[in-house]
Amino acid sequence: MRVSAAKRLLLVHAHPDDETINNGVTMAKYAALGAQVTLVTCTRGEEGEVLVEKLANLASSKDDKLGEHREIELKNAMDELGISDFRFLGAPSKKWRDSGMMGTPQNERKDVFWQSDLDEAANELVKIILEIKPQVLITYDEFGGYGHPDHIKANQVAMRAAQISGSQGWEIEKIYWNTTPKSVIQMGIDKMKEIGSDFFGAESADDLPFAKPDELVSTVVNAPEYVPAKLAAMKAHATQISVDGPFFALSNNLGLSVWGDEYYTLVKGEKAAPFDANGRELDIFAGINL
């Protein structure tokens, strides 16, 4: 793909559906504004649960066809968000498998992403960085948000690739890690309690590993107009996200605004105006010379 836009954003995720949950409105907003948005997914999510009963045979414990199906779900989700450039890391020559959770037999397989050589995987991403020349990179924090080995490895690969590409002629100016502030999570938990439901069984935001202190949030992308696209993309990931589950319950009971803000921690580069009332950056491309 030729570098065809002034603004270029690269997102690195572990499995199909992670991108939509974390960055759906961000991706849709910047794509609609004419930015070149590239998604790199590191595995096909072969070890995910299957929430659609009629597709239960796809599970890794049965026919082991879930990865192929999730490729289709990803394409459908990207169609909803308006993203045309989405790729799997190492494709077509290399293919890393979903690692499952720490301590499981799946995690010990030699072909899983967690067991991959860091520099080998990072250099596959470097090829893409040097091709598309992104000014902005989005990935997970060093804990992978909630500790999944593929999320942790995606962070390691993305950060290593940014370092290598910088020595090979392309310096990524701003790097963001996904974050979700505790105050937002607590608001959701409280609202769900009011209607007699729960959010992943949590009593408090402190019970959820992906809920981070509010002071870690440096940047927020506010794009409520793209929430319908995000929800449609979430529905496209039908094997992973139940329309009766906590994500959509939250939407139904807090309104679409709950998904209209996506939060980030800037770990490379400098914050730049415009800012919101809390001093949070409002544009991930702010301060970049285009």
Side-chain angles (χ1 to χ4, degrees):
M1 173 174 284
R2 293 170 51 200
V3 174
S4 58
K7 297 179 179 179
R8 300 177 299 279
L9 168 63
L10 172 64
L11 303 100
V12 179
H13 277 288
H15 317 103
D17 82 355
D18 293 328
E19 79 297 321
T20 299
I21 294 168
N22 285 284
N23 312 116
V25 300
T26 300
M27 296 172 72
K29 173 182 177 175
Y30 283 100
L33 290 174
Q36 182 172 316
V37 178
T38 299
L39 168 68
V40 175
T41 309
C42 298
T43 82
R44 290 155 181 78
E46 294 91 342
E47 296 298 339
E49 295 183 67
V50 180
L51 301 179
V52 180
E53 188 174 350
K54 66 181 180 180
L55 298 175
N57 63 294
L58 298 176
S60 62
S61 59
K62 296 183 180 179
D63 295 342
D64 197 18
K65 299 291 186 183
L66 182 57
E68 297 169 20
H69 186 81
R70 291 183 74 176
E71 288 190 42
I72 297 169
E73 291 185 337
L74 181 62
K75 182 192 182 303
N76 293 339
M78 293 303 95
D79 286 346
E80 297 291 352
L81 297 179
I83 307 301
S84 59
D85 186 13
F86 53 97
R87 322 172 185 201
F88 286 96
L89 185 67
S93 59
K94 289 182 171 59
K95 184 175 181 178
W96 284 288
R97 184 181 172 91
D98 184 342
S99 306
M101 297 304 291
M102 296 289 196
T104 63
Q106 294 93 326
N107 193 249
E108 300 300 321
R109 289 178 54 143
K110 299 300 183 185
D111 59 346
V112 299
F113 187 51
W114 179 247
Q115 301 292 346
S116 66
D117 179 81
L118 176 59
D119 278 352
E120 180 185 10
N123 276 300
E124 290 296 328
L125 186 58
V126 169
K127 295 175 187 177
I128 298 172
I129 292 172
L130 296 179
E131 173 195 344
I132 65 172
K133 297 179 171 57
Q135 299 107 332
V136 178
L137 166 66
I138 293 174
T139 190
Y140 312 100
D141 63 17
E142 71 272 41
F143 185 59
Y146 68 102
H148 192 293
D150 286 333
H151 288 231
I152 295 171
K153 192 63 174 261
N155 164 273
Q156 294 171 352
V157 167
M159 299 305 289
R160 177 66 176 139
Q163 180 184 40
I164 296 171
S165 66
S167 69
Q168 294 187 10
W170 186 257
E171 191 77 32
I172 298 174
E173 294 183 53
K174 299 178 83 173
I175 299 178
Y176 293 94
W177 290 349
N178 295 308
T179 190
T180 306
K182 284 187 177 182
S183 63
V184 173
I185 295 293
Q186 191 61 54
M187 178 183 66
I189 290 172
D190 293 345
K191 187 66 178 180
M192 296 291 279
K193 284 181 179 178
E194 288 178 16
I195 63 168
S197 186
D198 64 24
F199 190 69
F200 296 109
E203 289 293 319
S204 163
D206 291 329
D207 298 333
L208 297 171
F210 54 81
K212 307 297 183 184
D214 283 47
E215 56 266 26
L216 292 181
V217 178
S218 64
T219 306
V220 57
V221 172
N222 174 256
E225 64 272 32
Y226 296 105
V227 171
K230 176 170 180 168
L231 293 179
M234 289 170 71
K235 289 178 181 177
H237 289 292
T239 63
Q240 305 303 302
I241 305 173
S242 170
V243 295
D244 298 321
F247 285 120
F248 285 101
L250 202 60
S251 301
N252 294 338
N253 291 289
L254 281 180
L256 296 183
S257 62
V258 69
W259 296 115
D261 291 332
E262 290 174 345
Y263 301 90
Y264 302 97
T265 300
L266 180 65
V267 295
K268 180 185 178 186
E270 299 295 330
K271 288 200 305 180
F275 301 109
D276 69 6
N278 296 311
R280 294 170 175 172
E281 191 181 38
L282 291 169
D283 177 10
I284 59 176
F285 285 93
I288 291 174
N289 293 320
L290 300 174

